């Protein structure tokens, strides 16, 4: 327990360090004294440093803040799904939640010409709507009201239903892309890859308010979820309302993934990667570690995309989702290979 707490503390320190690197270094560097001077001037209405104040307060800092928060949200969402269903493939990317947000957002952009907050709202509604459909389909034997194997069976149904719906929604997105003009298609493509380019303080405020509600919900569910890992029968014998707990976990996880997707688009594989990596760092399933690993992945990927990729690609700035997607694909293959070796 002490070792796990120590390793989680190291992850937290790594997030703080990477956050500082993200804000202070990169294509435009800022010294620590100048950063605090800029921050204090912004908060008190004092004299601003021309150029530097705008870059730090309107670009770097809100981008780092939103990157950290969506990393935490995706990490917690993936950790909740993977812990409840006891399956490393159970993440919003794989089971269709992100595709629900994408299909709704692309429909809003292409069909209704929406932009900004309207796109984020459509993504939020789409994610929640698809989650409700997937949950309803998977509840053939209820997502956990029953014996030891019924929860696993329902969990497998949820994953399979999500994969099927994700495939259908992917086709919808592709169809809408063929109907869009070049400029709209380019905007849609950036959103679909997940990007922090539209980060601002308004989005940061809305995301922080959502997390102020959802993180306490995760804390309240952590104890019952830990007992639920013992199996449905054992959990019910210990007084846990299995069906209600599973529903609460699904709603909370979906809401976390939905608000993160609404803020920055479906940043690929963060929810999928965070839980297994955290488990390998702490040697145990840990929601705090999953949240911290999610933040580390997003901050590191966006720093690379915004500052290092342009040096390698003749000035091309990549969306953060391109980098996380490149990380997630080989990790998924490695996970499948190692699972096959264990089963052999």
């Amino acid at each position: 327990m002490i070792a796990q707490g120590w390793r989680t503390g190291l992850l937290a320190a790594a997030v703080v360090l990477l956050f500082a690197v993200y804000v202070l270094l990169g294509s435009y560097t800022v010294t620590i004294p100048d950063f605090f001077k800029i921050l204090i001037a912004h908060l008190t209405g004092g004299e601003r440093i021309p150029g530097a104040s705008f870059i730090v307060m309107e670009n770097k800092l809100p981008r780092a803040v939103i990157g950290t928060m969506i990393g935490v949200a995706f990490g917690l969402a993936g950790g909740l799904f993977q812990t409840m269903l006891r399956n490393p493939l159970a993440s919003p990317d794989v089971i269709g939640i992100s595709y629900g947000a994408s299909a709704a957002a692309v429909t809003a952009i292409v069909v209704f010409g929406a932009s900004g907050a309207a796109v984020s709202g459509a993504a939020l509604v789409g994610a929640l709507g698809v989650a409700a459909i997937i949950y309803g389909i998977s509840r053939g034997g209820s997502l956990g009201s029953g014996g030891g194997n019924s929860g696993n069976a329902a969990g497998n149904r949820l994953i399979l239903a999500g994969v099927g719906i994700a495939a259908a929604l992917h086709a919808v997105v592709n169809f809408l892309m063929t109907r869009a003009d070049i400029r709209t298609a380019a905007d849609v493509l950036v959103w679909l890859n997940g990007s922090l380019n539209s980060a601002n303080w308004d989005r940061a405020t809305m995301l922080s308010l959502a997390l102020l509600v959802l993180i306490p919900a995760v804390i309240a569910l952590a104890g019952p979820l830990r007992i639920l890992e013992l199996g449905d029968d054992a959990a019910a014998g210990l007084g846990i309302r299995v069906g209600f707990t599973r529903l609460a976990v699904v709603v909370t996880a979906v809401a976390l993934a939905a608000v993160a997707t609404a803020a920055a688009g479906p940043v690929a594989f963060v929810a999928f990667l965070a839980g297994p990596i955290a488990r390998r760092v702490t040697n145990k399933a840990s929601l705090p570690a999953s949240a911290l690993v999610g933040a580390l992945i997003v901050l590191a990927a966006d720093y690379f995309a915004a500052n290092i990729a342009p040096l390698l690609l003749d000035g091309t700035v990549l969306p953060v989702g391109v980098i996380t997607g490149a990380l997630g694909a080989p990790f998924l293959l490695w996970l499948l290979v190692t699972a096959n070796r264990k089963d052999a």
Side-chain angles (χ1 to χ4, degrees), residues 178-247:
T178 64
R179 308 296 296 175
D181 60 70
I182 294 176
R183 180 174 295 180
T184 302
D187 293 340
V188 168
L189 192 60
V190 171
W191 195 92
L192 285 174
N193 282 314
S195 173
L196 295 177
N197 290 343
S198 59
N200 55 50
W201 289 117
D202 289 336
R203 285 188 186 221
T205 300
M206 295 301 295
L207 187 54
S208 63
L209 290 175
L211 292 182
L212 283 175
V213 174
L214 293 171
I215 288 179
V218 174
I219 294 171
L221 289 169
L225 185 61
R226 195 174 301 115
I227 297 173
L228 206 60
E229 289 185 81
L230 300 174
D232 291 354
D233 290 337
L238 292 171
I240 298 297
R241 296 167 61 190
V242 175
F244 175 80
T245 300
R246 286 185 181 276
L247 177 60

Side-chain angles (χ1 to χ4, degrees), residues 4 7-8 10-16 18 65-80 82-83 211 214-215 218-219 256 260 270-279 281-282 284-299:
Q4 182 183 356
R7 292 177 182 181
T8 304
L10 283 180
L11 287 174
V15 171
V16 173
L18 187 54
V65 169
I66 289 181
T68 301
M69 288 194 291
I70 68 167
V72 167
F74 277 128
L76 286 174
L80 285 170
Q82 290 162 351
T83 301
L211 292 182
L214 293 171
I215 288 179
V218 174
I219 294 171
L256 284 164
V270 176
F272 170 69
L273 290 168
I277 293 174
R279 183 186 290 269
V281 172
T282 61
K284 187 178 180 182
S286 170
L287 292 176
S290 296
L292 294 169
V293 170
L296 282 172
I297 291 171
V298 175
L299 287 174

Side-chain angles (χ1 to χ4, degrees), residues 319-333:
V320 61
V322 171
I323 306 301
T324 58
L327 292 172
F331 188 85
L332 175 59
L333 294 175

